[in-house]
Amino acid sequence: MESNAGVFVSQADRLLHVALSQTKMCLRQGCVQQYFAAVVIAVKSRVSVIARQEYVAEYSGVTGRMDYFPLFHDIRQSRCLIVGGGSVATRKARQLHQAGAYLTVVAPEIDADMEALAAESPHHQLVNRRWQTGDMTGKTLVIAATENREVNRQVSETARQQLTPVNVVDDPELSSVIFPAIVDRSPLQIAFSTGGEAPVLARQLRTQLETLIPANYGRLTRFAGRLRERVKQRFDTLAQRRYFWESIFEGPVGEQVLAGNEQTAEQMFDEQLNATDNKPATGEVWLVGGGPGDPDLLTFKALRLMQKADVILYDRLVSEDVLALCRRDADYVYVGKARSNHTLPQEEINHRLVRLAKEGKRVLRLKGGDPFIFGRGGEEIDRLAEEGIPFQVVPGITAASGCASYAGIPLTHRDHAQSVRFVTGHLKDNSCDLPWTELVNPAQTVVFYMGLHALPEIICQLLAHGRAEDTPIALIEKGGSRQQRVITGTFETIVDQCQQAGFKTPTLVIVGSVVTLHKSLKWYQGAE
């Protein structure tokens, strides 16, 4: 397990870079819905990774722990207590005032700005004295913003005893709730937090997002809210309504609202609503390559479809960081396969893809690497084509390319290898019967997928067919992820090295003289 804060911030920065790049592309193309989805990806990517203090190394599902549960709270006309009367307390009071709360401010000294804020509402109260336990009675929320930590601790303890949410400014340890950074396009609001670890970082991110999200998104949100009931009456299912709204936000209606032409937009809305059949939605299956593990390596199209799917069937080799970018309220189905241990047989996966699509679902079949390179994607779309199910295939960076690049091993090089061959070390019948005579050319790089368990047999066969004992070989475990490990050796040494290092699947095997370049070209450290 990793818990180093710097690692999480670095990973979050990479995710944010991917997502914000997509927002800019969508904005240039005028894609309203895609732009909004990309912004959401940016926020979720940056926040979810920073907030996570544990990373589960096994790629078996969405299991990352959140330190705080994000929750929007209606505090209009609710009495809130602020202990403290200085500038920090005033900043918190102003946020609560904007949310419609009734404030009680208790402090021996109250500055002029706080007095001016209190004068804006007859419901605000200023109490010039020290805090007392009875001040807590009947309060919805408590803020401790004094310069005395002992006072703040007493406020925190009393609030917790009374099961009242309490925030102690700049002291997460004493807080049961924290104030997020907010991008306000009311009624659209985006709130995010670093869990109190780096509030300045959260504010910097907020500044970036303020420039990316148009102010008129609030208008678009209100427009949708006003017409929501019409859509409910027109369509029977949630899926139909969701698809309709996506077409509205993505198309000319959304553009007209953002341009301020709401009357024209509503006319177009009614025309589109009346022209849309109230029939079961047509399902579709998307086979998407998730790459070797680093979410930076996803394509823009993969990100877009990952956010639109109703159901996600994902493999063991899909990294948690990639899975975290998928739509959060989709249904997740784990269909991972390990050697001789399949969660679902391939035929059952094929059947489930067909059944879900016929139910009108948009199904994401998310695979590690590339769907068409030892990913059994061809078998799956064979069945879809037989059943007349619409499908798309989105390529991903295959493990050979991604892992080799992250290990600093070029698969071809003028001085070492003029060709490269991808082969599997694990056949359908669990054998390792390969065309060995074609794999022993010293001017060729050979990459074995799923070759760890068959490593002794692979080496034995290559030696028997003419390769030398000093042939360079590399093993790359969980390549492209933060858990990446690489060992290099020769046919004579690699099995012992592998056992000593305790390598486990997924591990890629690379054979050829290009492996000797790893020492001088490696750039990505991973877990080494």
Side-chain angles (χ1 to χ4, degrees):
M1 300 288 182
E2 295 188 30
S3 58
N4 186 291
V7 173
F8 285 97
V9 171
S10 175
Q11 177 67 5
D13 283 334
R14 297 205 309 271
L15 290 173
L16 179 65
H17 175 74
V18 172
L20 292 186
S21 296
Q22 189 183 19
T23 67
K24 295 174 183 177
M25 182 191 73
C26 294
L27 189 60
R28 287 196 299 269
Q29 295 179 352
C31 302
V32 177
Q33 190 267 345
Q34 293 178 25
Y35 173 81
F36 179 71
V39 171
V40 173
I41 290 172
V43 177
K44 288 202 305 183
S45 303
R46 191 62 161 89
V47 178
S48 65
V49 177
I50 293 178
R52 206 174 287 145
Q53 293 299 308
E54 293 180 1
Y55 179 85
V56 179
E58 293 298 327
Y59 300 158
S60 58
V62 185
T63 52
R65 179 178 62 83
M66 293 191 298
D67 289 343
Y68 293 89
F69 183 77
L71 186 69
F72 287 88
H73 193 175
D74 183 0
I75 58 172
R76 289 173 293 183
Q77 301 180 16
S78 297
R79 180 63 59 180
C80 299
L81 173 65
I82 298 178
V83 180
S87 59
V88 174
T90 301
R91 288 201 300 270
K92 298 298 183 185
R94 186 169 289 111
Q95 288 181 278
L96 298 179
H97 170 74
Q98 291 172 345
Y102 295 167
L103 307 180
T104 296
V105 181
V106 180
E109 297 181 3
I110 299 176
D111 67 17
D113 288 340
M114 182 71 86
E115 291 177 346
L117 177 63
E120 295 182 20
S121 171
H123 301 288
H124 297 336
Q125 302 171 353
L126 302 180
V127 183
N128 285 97
R129 59 166 171 78
R130 295 184 181 278
W131 168 79
Q132 299 174 3
T133 303
D135 295 330
M136 200 81 66
T137 303
K139 303 304 188 294
T140 299
L141 175 66
V142 175
I143 308 295
T146 77
E147 296 180 356
N148 187 323
R149 194 170 194 270
E150 179 59 25
V151 172
N152 290 343
R153 185 188 61 77
Q154 293 173 5
V155 173
S156 174
E157 288 180 355
T158 303
R160 288 172 183 266
Q161 290 170 2
Q162 299 186 18
L163 302 181
T164 303
V166 58
N167 173 259
V168 179
V169 178
D170 290 335
D171 200 333
E173 182 181 344
L174 296 180
S175 302
S176 65
V177 296
I178 54 178
F179 274 54
I182 298 171
V183 176
D184 189 5
R185 300 290 186 269
S186 291
L188 171 67
Q189 292 180 307
I190 300 173
F192 47 95
S193 171
T194 60
E197 298 289 340
V200 173
L201 182 62
R203 287 197 293 270
Q204 288 179 344
L205 177 58
R206 174 197 165 192
T207 300
Q208 294 182 47
L209 292 178
E210 288 280 8
T211 65
L212 287 170
I213 302 175
N216 278 347
Y217 264 85
R219 172 180 285 174
L220 183 60
T221 307
R222 285 189 295 271
F223 176 86
R226 183 165 55 82
L227 301 175
R228 188 177 179 186
E229 192 59 35
R230 297 188 200 175
V231 177
K232 281 185 177 181
Q233 294 174 1
R234 183 70 177 85
F235 299 109
D236 297 329
T237 68
L238 288 174
Q240 290 171 313
R241 296 167 196 162
R242 182 168 63 250
Y243 300 163
F244 175 78
W245 279 118
E246 287 176 353
S247 69
I248 291 296
F249 294 141
E250 192 174 28
V253 174
E255 294 289 354
Q256 288 295 324
V257 176
L258 291 178
N261 304 322
E262 289 197 40
Q263 185 174 355
T264 301
E266 187 165 351
Q267 292 174 352
M268 297 170 64
F269 177 93
D270 288 335
E271 292 173 1
Q272 187 167 335
L273 183 65
N274 294 330
T276 305
D277 292 330
N278 187 12
K279 295 179 180 179
T282 301
E284 186 174 4
V285 176
W286 305 318
L287 270 68
V288 173
D294 187 342
D296 275 2
L297 303 181
L298 291 169
T299 65
F300 289 143
K301 186 172 185 178
L303 280 169
R304 179 169 58 84
L305 296 181
M306 287 161 63
Q307 282 291 310
K308 294 179 68 174
D310 301 312
V311 184
I312 298 168
L313 278 67
Y314 63 99
D315 281 346
R316 182 176 65 96
L317 300 182
V318 177
S319 74
E320 182 185 274
D321 291 332
V322 168
L323 204 58
L325 294 180
C326 293
R327 179 178 157 195
R328 288 294 175 90
D329 60 341
D331 293 328
Y332 286 76
V333 181
Y334 175 60
V335 294
K337 302 183 186 73
R339 183 173 178 266
S340 301
N341 180 19
H342 294 185
T343 304
L344 283 180
Q346 185 62 50
E347 274 304 313
E348 175 59 27
I349 295 174
N350 298 347
H351 173 73
R352 188 168 295 198
L353 291 173
V354 171
R355 176 174 59 80
L356 290 169
K358 287 185 175 180
E359 291 174 0
K361 304 289 181 61
R362 295 178 299 189
V363 185
L364 178 74
R365 179 67 174 100
L366 185 59
K367 296 172 172 287
D370 182 273
F372 277 9
I373 300 182
F374 304 123
R376 306 189 76 167
E379 299 175 40
E380 293 174 356
I381 64 171
D382 271 347
R383 180 66 182 279
L384 296 173
E386 289 174 2
E387 298 286 342
I389 303 295
F391 62 84
Q392 298 182 46
V393 180
V394 181
I397 293 179
T398 188
S401 179
C403 296
S405 296
Y406 273 52
I409 301 175
L411 295 178
T412 61
H413 189 286
R414 286 194 300 174
D415 296 332
H416 295 271
Q418 288 70 53
S419 65
V420 60
R421 184 116 174 213
F422 298 167
V423 296
T424 176
H426 176 64
L427 301 183
K428 191 173 183 178
D429 59 359
N430 291 322
S431 71
C432 192
D433 185 16
L434 297 170
W436 299 108
T437 56
E438 301 174 12
L439 305 180
V440 293
N441 182 351
Q444 173 181 256
T445 301
V446 183
V447 181
F448 291 89
Y449 288 67
M450 300 166 284
L452 182 64
H453 290 286
L455 183 61
E457 174 68 11
I458 289 172
I459 292 174
C460 180
Q461 290 290 346
L462 291 175
L463 288 172
H465 287 81
R467 291 306 302 258
E469 288 188 347
D470 62 353
T471 298
I473 182 172
L475 303 183
I476 307 171
E477 180 188 63
K478 294 182 179 176
S481 75
R482 286 179 280 124
Q483 288 74 41
Q484 173 179 298
R485 293 195 296 164
V486 181
I487 55 174
T488 62
T490 65
F491 283 178
E492 191 173 19
T493 65
I494 196 65
V495 173
D496 288 340
Q497 290 175 270
C498 177
Q499 292 175 347
Q500 292 172 5
F503 267 41
K504 298 179 181 179
T505 58
T507 293
L508 197 77
V509 181
I510 300 179
V511 175
S513 65
V514 291
V515 170
T516 61
L517 299 173
H518 164 72
K519 186 175 181 180
S520 59
L521 299 183
K522 65 178 181 179
W523 60 273
Y524 182 73
Q525 296 302 317
E528 290 186 282

